[in-house]
Amino acid sequence: MGILWEVVQTGLMYGQKRKSDTVEDRVQFLENQLIRTQDTLRELVKKIEEIHGLDIDGDGKIG
């Protein structure tokens, strides 16, 4: 139970910090998250194309 409680407390502290950040800080955080999500999706599509030999994203090449 100790480790679970630490995880909960860490999450609560992180949530409080996010609330205290400025709007600009929060926007920057979201923009960074978006960039990482887009990079992950690109890599996922690339890997799926390589595995299945298909051009899923329509860029004219596989992988």
Side-chain angles (χ1 to χ4, degrees):
M1 185 75 171
I3 293 176
L4 179 58
W5 182 243
E6 285 183 41
V7 170
V8 169
Q9 285 182 321
T10 301
L12 291 173
M13 289 186 307
Y14 179 75
Q16 285 300 99
K17 183 195 178 313
R18 296 287 342 142
K19 287 180 185 176
S20 67
D21 286 346
T22 65
V23 172
E24 291 82 10
D25 290 339
R26 292 164 73 184
V27 168
Q28 184 63 50
F29 174 79
L30 291 173
E31 288 175 344
N32 292 339
Q33 286 289 97
L34 176 61
I35 289 167
R36 285 195 293 272
T37 300
Q38 289 172 332
D39 290 344
T40 300
L41 287 173
R42 282 187 200 97
E43 288 299 315
L44 180 61
V45 167
K46 181 179 175 183
K47 187 57 78 176
I48 291 172
E49 285 183 347
E50 290 171 358
I51 291 170
H52 293 286
L54 300 170
D55 177 20
I56 296 173
D57 59 6
D59 66 354
K61 59 184 178 180
I62 296 173

